[in-house]
Structure formats: structure tokens, C-alpha cells
Amino acid sequence: MTNSTPAFPPGTILGYPRIGRRRELKKAVEAFWAGTITADELESTAAGLRRATRDRLAELGLGRRDSSIPETFSFYDQMLDAAVTVGAVPPRFASLADDDGAIDLAGYFTIARGVGEHAPLEMTKWFDSNYHYLVPEIGPETVFALASDRIVREFEEARETGFLTRPVIVGPVTFLALGKASDEAPAGYRPLNRLDDLLPVYATLLDRLSVAGAEWVQLDEPALVSETIDVARAELLGAAEYAYSTLGALTGRPSIFVAAPYGSLDDALPILAATPVEALGFDLVRGDVPNGLNDTVASALAGKTLVAGVIDGHNIWRGNLAAAFGAAGALAALSPSVSVSTSTSLLHVPHDVDDESGLGSRGNDGDLASWLAFADQKVEQVAVLARGLTAGAGPGAASGATSGADAIRSELDAASAALAARLAAPGVRDGAVRDRAASLTEADFSRGDYAARVAAQEAALGLPFLPTTTIGSFPQTRDIRRARAQLTRGELSTGEYTALMRAEIARVVELQEEIGLDVLVHGEPERNDMVQYFAENLDGFAVTENGWVQSYGSRCTRPSILWGDVSRPKPITVEWSTYTQGLTDKPVKGMLTGPVTILAWSFVRDDQPLGDTARQVALALRDEIHDLEAAGIRVVQVDEPALRELLPLKKKDHADYLDWSVGSFRLATAGVAEATQVHTHLCYSEFGVVIDAIRKLDADVTSIEAARSRMEVVGDIRSSGFDHGIGPGVYDIHSPRVPSVAEVTELIERALEGIPGRQVWINPDCGLKTRGYAETVASLKNILEATRAVRAKVAVPLPA
Ligand code: GLN
Ligand code: ZN
């Protein structure tokens, strides 16, 4: 480190929730979309939120003028922000840009959401989180140039209110590595090849930030920790070396902090160590303190600030503060300059435990809140640890060294006491649940021969060629949401609420019959959320009141807290499904959420392996499926949209993950008769990555997202030889666009080019709950019209 390097702050976070404590940003953005507020009004709401965030972070213990507060605001997504900053706007949206390539707010949202015939950028999960980012499209036609100075303006905005903040942007390697080749690109084209053209834009940006007075910038490079992205490791490492030698060599730039959340850097560490960047971030929740470093790497690291990501940004437990402190201390053996941080951005956790009054949960007497840390509590934890590190306190230090150190010791002790209380609390371990999970045998995990199942299901269901269905939910109308709110407030009785939901179900059934769908659903009106609904009906979970977390754009979810052993006190969905089946002769799918997804979209206890927890959830679902079948339901769908999301980023962890994730699905579903058709639904289009897992799930029918990527997945399905039923989506439900009959026909035909017709099902990409009725009905009608046209054209294949 040169003398001119400003000190890195002793404590920081990698990012903070952007949606607002009461989802103010969501509301403002949606009001802007609806045309009820102007762009200026939206801008001023956003500026207010940024100001509130800075003030709050300072109040919680981060410094106002030491670059410890990161600028991670976004109107929609940080990858989209990076794309519009560097001018990577796809040609179909070129008309949105002015002469300098700049895009206004309306244009920004158009790229995210699509318009008319122009599909939006694809969306996919951010590492192993439930956050979705927009996938930049990069091709030979992409002209990189600094097209937005929003980052600089936000820094200046903060400076005007007396703050010296730390601008944050996705790093160039991650930006390109997660990008996809545009349609204009020739075969074999890789966005990472454009690094040389992109770096000058980052250089310009760094220069502008330096002129504005920024002392530190944070470049997020999570791609460096992942072994599951679609780029050869050697190429990724080469890019990192080139990018950070190049940016590092610039003069007059701010100091650079490269953050690498979501895992350990492994072989990327020596590479980054050898570059001139001034600070490196380590995710010490997922990864370990680096050891066995050779002398060159060790001496390079000794000259940098090492940022110890010891507070879990991805979960809500108060955690073991003493252990976190110990890990930060261990990093201090590698460099005289160590700072404390969160492991990831706090984007993944809600704002504040103090916003929860009830934390309702059966079997927990209300001490749950003391076990938790949301974003604000985590900031406080960082501040405590940072003070402790500075004061030389901590587990190994002699007590009473300084009074500051004593104060910190007492914080560490309080966290340890809360942890001990949690582990001993009633409900955390339930003997009956544990005995049942321990007594399972091989047979509990497998169904009969697939061919026999196909024959039995054909006889039981009598479905046409290219059967049509939906993924489960129908639009959640304002009336439905209002009824649920009234039920919660006690303004509706359970009986009145049930009657309203039944009326809704009857409407949805009638609509599906009119449209001509083959396998019907009840539409899930009674579910606020596909995971929370089950969490509310299972023991071992608690739900929050204000614990919102951004999922994508303006969309938020409220993850439940899985704190204890899981069991099902009584049937959950059976009455709804049997009521629905009573309304129609067509088969109705019973709809359940699978164990992996229930885990992925909840905050899960961290005191036992995920696989043990998944097994408990699977047993509860198995009982539910048994009851559905006994009540006459012939098709059951167990959604596992998060199967890919939880796939560990490191290859060495895959086998264990696939073992327990697949095992829990099979445990849930293997109890049914051959004639009962088991569906599953997955929510992403990178089928290839988890094809083995999908095959092993052994579901009779798997529906998967495919429309947004225009059936890219078909190649993977074909080459994998997957031979069960498969429904590649033909309708992108993430966008309000109605696909035309011609468009859907083309997608179906593309599917049939790669997959034998007898396997193919026709369905949307995902559930319809976020859509409006008008567009949903129009789209489903187009899907049916297209299906009929293809059925008429393609000869019905003989049974296999
Ligand atoms: N059955 C759920 C629905 O239709 C599935 C949602 C999902 O995959 N995310 O809403
Ligand atoms: Zn889905």
C-alpha cells in the first residue's frame, strides 16, 4: 500500500436493502409504471430513501466520512445498472437511448420489463440466492461507453449531505462472465472476449469518481468464487488478472476494494493478490480464512487491507459473534490492516428485527426475536466487531484490557447466551420427528417402473397429445388480497374467507374449462406465497410481519423462519383440492411446494445440515400427498423452482447437495400409486446444469421455464436423453406481454424439433399470480389456439 492510500474503514457492509423499510421504493416504482407519479417524483422518493439509508447506517455505527457506507441503491437491479452505465443496451432497445447512449428512467424499466414485441433482458438467479438479476446481452455490436453518470451523481448527492460514501458497481469480470452472447453474435462468441473494450469504460468511471472525491470504490466480483457459471475457470482467472492489473495500474484513481461474496476465492486469491488493488473482501461465512499461502502471495496480502466478511449477509440468525470475531482475528495474522464486514450484501435480509411485534409461531414462546439479526442488527454487529478489533478485545484477549474492550466482551457474551438459549429452546428438537426420520429405508425413496406408471396414468387420465396445463397460480387479484388482509385483521371470519376463496376457485375452474386446458388447477388464491403458506401450516416455522426481501425489480417476498423441527399438525391443502375436483371432470392437480424450495425461500436454522431439515419437510409433504391421493386427487405437483438455486457454487459440494435435495423430493413423492401422476416445476432455463438431478427426481412430468430464452433449453433436454414428460414454457410470465399465436406456435414447434412429441406438455413458464387477468386470459387462449394448430399439423405419435 502506498502512503497516499486512504485507510479502509474498520467496519463496513457490502450492501444494504434498497427497497425501503416499508417497501417505499416498490410502491414508488409501481406508481411510476402505472403513470400516477412522474419520473421526477420517483427520483425524489429514491433520493429520500438513499438519504434515510445513510442516516440510519451512521446511527447504527458506520462512519459518515470514512467510505464505510456503500452506495448500493438501484431502481431495479445492479446488473442492469452496470449494463446501462457501460452502454450495453441491446439493439432492440437502441431507440430508447439518446445520442450519447443515455437511457432515461422509463427506458431503463423498459429494458427490464420488455415492451410490445421487444422481450426484456432475461432474468436469472444471482449465485445461490433467491435474488434475480437481469442478464446483459453482449455481442460484437455492443459499443461500450460511459453512458450514465448516475453512480457519480449519487456519490455527489451523499457528499452534499456530509457523507463520504463508497460507490459500488459490479466488477467487469462478473459483468461479462454473467452476460450472454446477443442474438447478433456468431456461434462460440463469448462476452468475456470483450474485456479489453470494456475496461476503458471502467477506467473513465473510476476517473470521474476520483475527481468527484471518492476515496474508495467497491467492485463486486462474485463470479470469481463460483464454479457453476458457464465460463472456463482458466479464462475467468485470466480475465481477473488482466482486469485488475489494468485498472490497478491507473493513476489518480480511487483505491479499489474487490469484494468476492458467496464463497471462497480459492485459486482466484493468488491472482488478485498479485494485482495492485488495495483491498480484498473474503466471505468467511461460506469460506475459510486462507491458509497454506506461499511467500509471494502472503507478502502481497500483507500489503493490502483484508476485509473479513464474518457477519452472514444471507441469513437472519444473530449467530455466534465470538466465532465471527475469531475469524476476523485469524485474518489479522495475514495483514496488519483488517476490517470487518458482512459476508454478502444485506440485500438478502429484511431491514430490522425491531419492526416485528409478534413473530408469531406455534410452539415458540416469543423469544425468537432475541435469536435474530436482520440488516440493521447486522450493521450493529459489524460496528461492535470493528470496535473490538480496534480495541484489541476478543476471545483470546485478557479481560479488562480496556473498558471499551469490556463493553465488546459483553456484547459477544450476550450473543453467545442467546445462541445457547436458542439451541435448548422447546420445539427446536422434537423426538417423534427425529425418530421417524431416522427409521427410513431405501424403499421409502422410490416409485415403481416408469413405463408401468405411464400406462397406468394413461388409463387413469386419458389426456390428449400435447396436454396443456398451467403451473398452479392464477392472478392474485386485489379482491383476493383484500380478503386475506381482512381475515388477518379479523374483519372476515374463516368461514366467510373460505367462501370467497371457493367462489374464486369456481371462477378459475370455469375459465380453464372455457379456455380448454386439460389438467386444471385451483389457482392458489388462498396462498399469499407458495412457501409462506406451508410455513404457516407447519410446526417449526415463524412468519414475519415486515420482513420483506427483494426478489427481483419491485417484487419482494417475506421469507419465513424455519427455527425448529418440522411437522404437519393436520392436512393443509386437501379440502381445497377436493373442493376443486368436485367442480370438474377434468383432473385437478394438487399443488405443493417441495422441500428444497421451502428451505431455499425461508431463513433456515443453521444448527444442523440442510439435508436433515429437508427430510423433515419431505415427511410432512409425504403425508399431505398421501391424504390428497386418498381423497381422489390423481395428479400432484410438487414445485421445486429453487433446485438450481441452492446448487452449491463449488463443485466439491455438488454430490452431497444432489443427494439430499433429490432424496427429499423422492421421499415426499414416492409413496403414491403408479396411476397417480407426479409433476414437478422448475423455474430457470439452465436445465443442463442440473439435468442429472432432474432425472433422478423421477417425476412423471417436469415443467420448466423456456419462453424467455426462446427454447434454448431444448438442446439440453435432447442431448441429455431425458425421457419423461417435459413442459418447456411457452409464455414468459415475468413480463406483461401477451405472446401471439404465431410466437407460441413457433416455440411449440421448436420444442418438437428436439423432443419426442409424446413427452411434450404445453404450459406457461411459471405461475400466473403476478399477472393481470386480461393478459393472462389472452395469453392462455393464444396458447390453446397454437396447441390446437400444432396438434392438427403433427400426426399423433403412436404410444411408445
Ligand atoms: N405453483 C406455483 C405458482 O404457480 C409455482 C411458482 C414458482 O414456480 N415460483 O405460483
Ligand atoms: Zn416457476
Side-chain angles (χ1 to χ4, degrees), residues 471 641 681-683 765-767:
I471 307 305
H681 165 69
L682 311 168
C683 246
D765 267 1
C766 189

Side-chain angles (χ1 to χ4, degrees), residues 18 43 50 54 69-75 77-87 103 108 145-160 163-172 175 198 201-220 254:
R18 342 182 256 218
E43 290 281 8
R50 289 193 292 266
R54 291 190 297 267
I69 295 182
E71 285 283 3
T72 51
F73 175 81
S74 176
F75 278 104
D77 168 52
Q78 69 273 12
M79 284 289 276
L80 177 61
D81 294 348
V84 302
T85 298
V86 303
I103 303 269
Y108 171 89
L146 188 62
S148 162
D149 63 353
R150 192 174 273 284
I151 295 175
V152 182
R153 280 186 279 125
E154 285 177 6
F155 174 79
E156 288 168 341
E157 168 193 286
R159 201 186 54 195
E160 275 153 29
F163 284 82
L164 180 73
T165 53
R166 185 173 79 244
V168 179
I169 184 167
V170 173
F175 178 72
L198 177 62
V201 184
Y202 274 79
T204 307
L205 180 63
L206 291 180
D207 182 57
R208 294 280 307 275
L209 287 169
S210 167
V211 169
E215 294 187 347
W216 283 91
V217 295
Q218 174 181 328
L219 294 173
D220 286 334

Side-chain angles (χ1 to χ4, degrees), residues 55-393:
D55 290 342
R56 178 70 174 150
L57 290 174
E59 187 188 325
L60 292 168
L62 296 189
R64 285 169 194 269
R65 304 211 41 87
D66 64 357
S67 303
S68 65
I69 295 182
E71 285 283 3
T72 51
F73 175 81
S74 176
F75 278 104
Y76 200 97
D77 168 52
Q78 69 273 12
M79 284 289 276
L80 177 61
D81 294 348
V84 302
T85 298
V86 303
V89 171
R92 64 182 176 286
F93 294 119
S95 66
L96 297 172
D98 68 14
D99 292 346
D100 300 326
I103 303 269
D104 67 6
L105 259 187
Y108 171 89
F109 290 124
T110 300
I111 300 172
R113 306 172 72 222
V115 64
E117 290 305 293
H118 298 322
L121 294 186
E122 232 179 85
M123 192 158 59
T124 192
K125 299 269 166 113
W126 180 246
F127 300 92
D128 52 358
S129 80
N130 182 28
Y131 176 78
H132 304 63
Y133 70 95
L134 291 170
V135 181
E137 293 172 22
I138 314 287
E141 76 289 352
T142 308
V143 181
F144 293 117
L146 188 62
S148 162
D149 63 353
R150 192 174 273 284
I151 295 175
V152 182
R153 280 186 279 125
E154 285 177 6
F155 174 79
E156 288 168 341
E157 168 193 286
R159 201 186 54 195
E160 275 153 29
T161 60
F163 284 82
L164 180 73
T165 53
R166 185 173 79 244
V168 179
I169 184 167
V170 173
V173 178
T174 295
F175 178 72
L176 292 177
L178 297 189
K180 65 180 274 184
S182 65
D183 285 349
E184 285 73 16
Y189 181 93
R190 284 177 312 233
L192 210 48
N193 296 347
R194 297 292 309 277
L195 186 59
D196 230 350
D197 302 319
L198 177 62
L199 289 176
V201 184
Y202 274 79
T204 307
L205 180 63
L206 291 180
D207 182 57
R208 294 280 307 275
L209 287 169
S210 167
V211 169
E215 294 187 347
W216 283 91
V217 295
Q218 174 181 328
L219 294 173
D220 286 334
E221 289 289 9
L224 297 180
V225 312
S226 176
E227 294 171 357
T228 60
I229 56 175
D230 208 10
V231 176
R233 187 77 189 157
E235 203 178 323
L236 197 69
L237 296 181
E241 175 163 37
Y242 182 68
Y244 289 99
S245 315
T246 306
L247 296 178
L250 298 168
T251 51
R253 60 170 173 80
S255 298
I256 296 175
F257 164 38
V258 176
Y262 308 103
S264 58
L265 277 163
D266 297 341
D267 50 355
L269 178 57
I271 306 246
L272 288 175
T275 70
V277 302
E278 286 80 8
L280 286 182
F282 297 81
D283 182 335
L284 296 182
V285 172
R286 292 293 183 75
D288 298 320
V289 174
N291 60 25
L293 302 172
N294 69 32
D295 291 350
T296 320
V297 177
S299 76
L301 287 184
K304 298 187 191 302
T305 294
L306 309 183
V307 182
V310 290
I311 297 297
D312 193 347
H314 209 157
N315 212 331
I316 43 73
W317 303 108
R318 184 166 172 182
N320 186 339
L321 217 50
F325 194 78
L331 204 60
L334 301 177
S335 165
S337 172
V338 165
S339 293
V340 181
S341 171
T342 52
S343 60
T344 69
S345 166
L346 295 171
L347 165 75
H348 304 299
V349 297
H351 273 267
D352 193 349
V353 177
D354 292 341
D355 284 342
E356 301 300 325
S357 53
L359 277 178
S361 165
R362 235 189 309 254
N364 185 285
D365 48 12
D367 46 7
L368 191 52
S370 68
W371 305 347
L372 305 177
F374 291 176
D376 287 3
Q377 286 69 41
K378 286 174 187 288
V379 177
E380 285 172 329
Q381 291 187 326
V382 161
V384 165
L385 296 184
R387 282 200 304 277
L389 214 57
T390 316

